[in-house]
Amino acid sequence: MKPMHTMERILVTGGAGFLGSHLCDRLVASGADVLCVDNLFTGSKANIAHLIGKPTFELMRHDVTFPLYVEVDKIYNLACPASPVHYQHDPVQTTKTSVHGAINMLGLAKRVKARILQASTSEVYGDPEVHPQPEDYLGRVNPIGIRSCYDEGKRCAETLFFDYWRQHELRIKVIRIFNTYGPRMHPNDGRVVSNFIVQALQGKDITLYGDGQQTRSFCYVDDLIDAMVAMMETRDHITGPFNVGNPFEFTMLELAELTLKLTGSKSRLTFLPLPQDDPRRRKPDIGAAREMLGWKPKVGLEDGLRETVNYFKRTLLV
Ligand code: NAD
Ligand code: UDP
């Protein structure tokens, strides 16, 4: 093993969450020295339990709304609850996490001259009038609704990233992540994939909001991590923002039916009111990521869902 100081030191904020824990796995496996910073609001030690004890992995319990003084070469900034149920639970903290968190991590990157990647979101497009969404679409976001703490917080974080780039020549990378799913999603986090699978496995009604005709495009976690790492490794002048997701578009009704098929469940469908500001359609234009990262998603919805169903079967049974 190389001595620690010659290894690349990588900070992952939100590293104990769903995406962050998969990213930590990938970075540790690549031989990096990984510092996972998380306040464990929606993440858990269970997600990274298999990494604890490895000499190249460290967990620090810390809230990114407070300054952080560490020495690192690269920063992946993922800290922020991502499911509507969780980010709406304490909306003021959600905005603080995105905005103060970005300021603190950008300040850190500036001090230690680190590269920094922001996990932004398709929510910056709000409920879009342009379909599919290209990066130069400026979005249709309600600034005062129940999703605004997340959407506007993430938009402001992007503003901060690009101002640090223009003003301080920081090496920034911004990706806009579209709905991603896979093992280690929180079973109660309210996101549609985990909700439907858990409901199907427990024989409970499948809760479709609205008429179930709203669409999303679902990306399997492994594909997403490939793109995230590829983005970090691009040359200095490449900033993004790049959309990252799987462009195959499904209605929530189609997702419910596929989940029933894969689980063999007899659960019934039940229709509940559509939440406020719920986007009607969402599908990424991934032309820029294809061209600039040489990346495209490989895992289709049925294969990815099967893996996710197997994960929930294992975890719900223990
Ligand atoms: P997640 O909720 O599983 O992970 C977020 C992590 O951040 C958790 O471990 C949580 O404890 C931590 N965290 C929250 N507030 C914090 C704070 N103030 N200080 C330190 N840690 C904090 O969600 P995820 O799906 O893994 O999302 C990770 C990132 O990717 C988020 O920034 C999210 O906005 C972004 N994203 C995810 C998706 C998706 O579909 N999964 C889509 C778009 C964007
Ligand atoms: N949804 C649903 N039933 C659920 C959870 C979500 O029909 O039990 C819908 C939700 O209204 C939205 C879509 O599924 O239209 C995706 O919701 P999610 O919270 O996963 O992500 P986001 O809305 O942030 O894309």
Side-chain angles (χ1 to χ4, degrees):
M1 200 175 80
K2 286 191 254 175
M4 291 301 237
H5 62 273
T6 66
M7 297 171 80
E8 196 162 52
R9 298 158 304 176
I10 307 183
L11 166 62
V12 180
T13 76
F18 160 49
L19 296 181
S21 63
H22 286 277
L23 178 63
C24 288
D25 282 348
R26 183 71 66 89
L27 297 173
V28 168
S30 76
D33 186 17
V34 176
L35 173 61
C36 164
V37 163
D38 203 297
N39 69 351
L40 302 180
F41 172 49
T42 51
S44 72
K45 285 187 190 169
N47 284 343
I48 45 156
H50 54 287
L51 294 174
I52 288 174
K54 284 189 189 286
T56 54
F57 180 81
E58 188 182 349
L59 168 66
M60 181 193 288
R61 190 190 287 236
H62 173 83
D63 184 326
V64 295
T65 62
F66 296 97
L68 178 68
Y69 295 93
V70 291
E71 307 303 316
V72 290
D73 305 303
K74 292 177 179 166
I75 303 170
Y76 287 88
N77 188 37
L78 276 67
C80 186
S83 108
V85 173
H86 284 141
Y87 70 64
Q88 288 164 16
H89 170 74
D90 186 347
V92 173
Q93 174 69 9
T94 299
T95 305
K96 279 189 189 170
T97 294
S98 277
V99 177
H100 293 188
I103 291 171
N104 289 329
M105 292 309 114
L106 287 161
L108 171 63
K110 181 170 167 244
R111 183 177 67 79
V112 301
K113 300 187 173 45
R115 258 182 205 201
I116 181 165
L117 179 144
Q118 169 68 354
S120 191
T121 170
S122 53
E123 292 286 321
V124 300
Y125 302 121
D127 188 6
E129 311 105 320
V130 172
H131 194 80
Q133 293 80 55
E135 288 84 355
D136 60 3
Y137 174 53
L138 300 182
R140 179 168 169 270
V141 177
N142 177 359
I144 57 168
I146 56 173
R147 295 176 82 102
S148 312
C149 58
Y150 184 75
D151 301 9
E152 298 287 19
K154 289 284 188 178
R155 286 172 68 97
C156 184
E158 285 200 11
T159 306
L160 285 160
F161 267 68
F162 278 86
D163 282 334
Y164 267 78
W165 171 66
R166 278 185 287 261
Q167 201 174 328
H168 300 297
E169 295 169 4
L170 217 66
R171 293 174 296 159
I172 64 153
K173 312 277 171 194
V174 177
I175 56 168
R176 294 179 176 159
I177 303 170
F178 283 64
N179 297 64
T180 300
Y181 69 99
R184 299 192 199 143
M185 292 185 89
H186 195 292
N188 301 323
D189 83 356
R191 281 186 269 194
V192 69
V193 172
S194 44
N195 265 13
F196 285 3
I197 293 177
V198 171
Q199 289 162 347
L201 291 177
Q202 296 180 336
K204 295 183 179 157
D205 287 356
I206 306 281
T207 54
L208 276 157
Y209 301 160
D211 58 8
Q213 292 304 318
Q214 70 273 35
T215 69
R216 295 291 186 273
S217 304
F218 296 102
C219 184
Y220 188 62
V221 60
D222 290 355
D223 283 334
L224 194 278
I225 301 299
D226 287 345
M228 208 180 250
V229 173
M231 181 64 178
M232 182 61 105
E233 298 310 320
T234 51
R235 284 183 291 152
D236 286 352
H237 67 280
I238 296 176
T239 59
F242 297 144
N243 290 336
V244 176
N246 190 321
F248 283 95
E249 187 183 5
F250 295 86
T251 66
M252 295 310 100
L253 190 56
E254 287 168 334
L255 178 71
E257 283 162 355
L258 186 55
T259 307
L260 289 176
K261 182 181 118 181
L262 294 177
T263 52
S265 168
K266 299 272 178 294
S267 287
R268 289 175 314 176
L269 304 182
T270 178
F271 291 84
L272 300 177
L274 190 67
Q276 187 199 343
D277 293 334
D278 199 282
R280 283 159 300 162
R281 300 186 76 185
R282 195 184 284 148
K283 168 178 164 150
D285 176 335
I286 59 165
R290 269 179 199 270
E291 188 186 334
M292 304 302 292
L293 307 179
W295 169 88
K296 63 175 195 274
K298 300 189 198 99
V299 183
L301 184 59
E302 189 156 339
D303 289 341
L305 274 185
R306 203 172 280 116
E307 287 297 317
T308 314
V309 167
N310 289 339
Y311 166 78
F312 279 113
K313 274 187 184 161
R314 289 195 302 275
T315 50
L316 294 175
L317 285 176
V318 291

